[in-house]
Amino acid sequence: MEIIIMKELLEANDKLAKENRAYFAARHILAVNIMGAPGSGKTTLISALAQELEDIRIGVIEGDIESSIDADNLERQGIRAVQINTCGECHLDAHVIKKGADYLDMSNAIVFIENVGNLICPAEFDLGEAVRLLAASVPEGDDKPFKYVPMFSYIDAVALTKCDLKEAVGFDSKNFLKGLRTLSQAPVFETSLKTGAQVRGVNAVANYLRQKYEELGKL
Ligand SMILES: Nc1nc2c(ncn2[C@@H]2O[C@H](COP(=O)(O)OP(=O)(O)O)[C@@H](O)[C@H]2O)c(=O)[nH]1
Ligand SMILES: [Mg+2]
């Protein structure tokens, strides 16, 4: 019985995700679903990308089980954001994304969706996004692609965040890539965004997204 309920839930979500995809396309919006573990650097990355892509309109749909800390932080930086609280749910779904997008009411924009910090459930819920970007942080360890197979199979690109900590935590890049490449050919962008230190790698992620955004116009 449980299996049937879950299947119905996912089918209903997929239908709404399809509608979201059409909504984003009609408004010339590149929707980017940013997933990753809690604390992997998702908000920090969004903030840095917004600076790097300053010539493009940016909106953010923030997902957390509670609080509006991330949306408040982004708004303080002048980035248009809306907070969604899932009240305990471990992922965002297509239904709440439509609500967030309606609130932002944007067009000709890149809309970042910061998913709930979790390496499992978000990989089951299509949101209608165009790009799935995983923020995988160095301190989580190089073995994560071997352990979280659905997530590492689901994504289009990886931002390997907190690379300034590689040496400190003994991160083995070769092992990380070995695990990832059995599942996906997703490009990997190494970033270091430590507060007060030199920012590295965010321009490559921004260029990747800029290209995706420019490709929208050619469809
Ligand atoms: N050393 C280091 N710390 C980082 C980097 N990126 C983010 N952080 C820190 O990691 C913590 C969690 O970042 P946050 O963006 O809030 O993660 P989120 O929970 O995935 O949104 C914060 O204290 C950030 O300052 C990085 O590249 N290097
Ligand atoms: Mg965050």
Side-chain angles (χ1 to χ4, degrees):
M1 197 59 175
E2 283 248 319
I3 292 169
I4 294 168
I5 291 168
M6 191 66 197
K7 191 166 170 269
E8 283 175 357
L9 191 76
L10 289 173
E11 279 173 4
N13 182 74
D14 284 350
K15 186 170 169 280
L16 293 174
K18 210 171 155 190
E19 289 173 18
N20 286 353
R21 203 157 270 124
Y23 171 95
F24 289 133
R27 287 180 170 236
H28 198 261
I29 287 173
L30 183 80
V32 183
N33 181 7
I34 303 200
M35 294 169 282
S40 59
K42 299 180 294 298
T43 313
T44 308
L45 180 64
I46 290 169
S47 163
L49 285 169
Q51 275 188 42
E52 197 71 25
L53 296 164
E54 61 182 355
D55 53 317
I56 300 174
R57 204 168 291 139
I58 301 290
V60 184
I61 300 173
E62 272 294 338
D64 276 296
I65 60 170
E66 280 182 39
S67 92
S68 61
I69 294 170
D70 284 356
D72 291 344
N73 271 341
L74 293 170
E75 289 241 292
R76 267 197 295 276
Q77 294 165 46
I79 302 166
R80 183 157 168 71
V82 56
Q83 182 79 47
I84 292 171
N85 281 165
T86 62
C87 302
E89 287 297 320
C90 54
H91 58 270
L92 293 173
D93 62 26
H95 175 68
V96 294
I97 292 307
K98 179 62 169 53
K99 286 192 164 185
D102 279 342
Y103 178 89
L104 289 177
D105 192 20
M106 296 177 95
S107 50
N108 301 310
I110 294 181
V111 170
F112 292 108
I113 300 164
E114 181 175 340
N115 219 312
V116 178
N118 181 343
L119 281 177
I120 306 166
C121 316
E124 285 180 19
F125 287 82
D126 184 5
L127 304 180
E129 72 280 70
V131 179
R132 294 168 182 166
L133 176 63
L134 177 68
S137 74
V138 159
E140 291 163 51
D142 50 66
D143 59 355
K144 292 303 165 285
F146 298 94
K147 294 183 174 178
Y148 295 91
V149 169
M151 176 59 80
F152 280 87
S153 308
Y154 189 64
I155 37 98
D156 299 306
V158 179
L160 183 60
T161 59
K162 309 193 188 185
C163 283
D164 51 292
L165 298 175
K166 262 189 183 179
E167 224 181 278
V169 302
F171 186 86
D172 181 349
S173 301
K174 273 194 189 149
N175 196 44
F176 181 84
L177 276 179
K178 187 177 159 200
L180 177 65
R181 289 295 170 246
T182 61
L183 305 169
S184 164
Q185 288 308 309
V188 178
F189 303 106
E190 300 202 351
T191 64
S192 297
L193 304 174
K194 185 182 169 186
T195 314
Q198 200 190 342
V199 168
R200 286 209 175 87
V202 74
N203 54 339
V205 190
N207 288 343
Y208 170 82
L209 295 176
R210 182 185 297 281
Q211 195 183 331
K212 297 277 179 198
Y213 179 68
E214 284 168 2
E215 281 168 14
L216 283 183
K218 294 177 194 148
L219 294 178

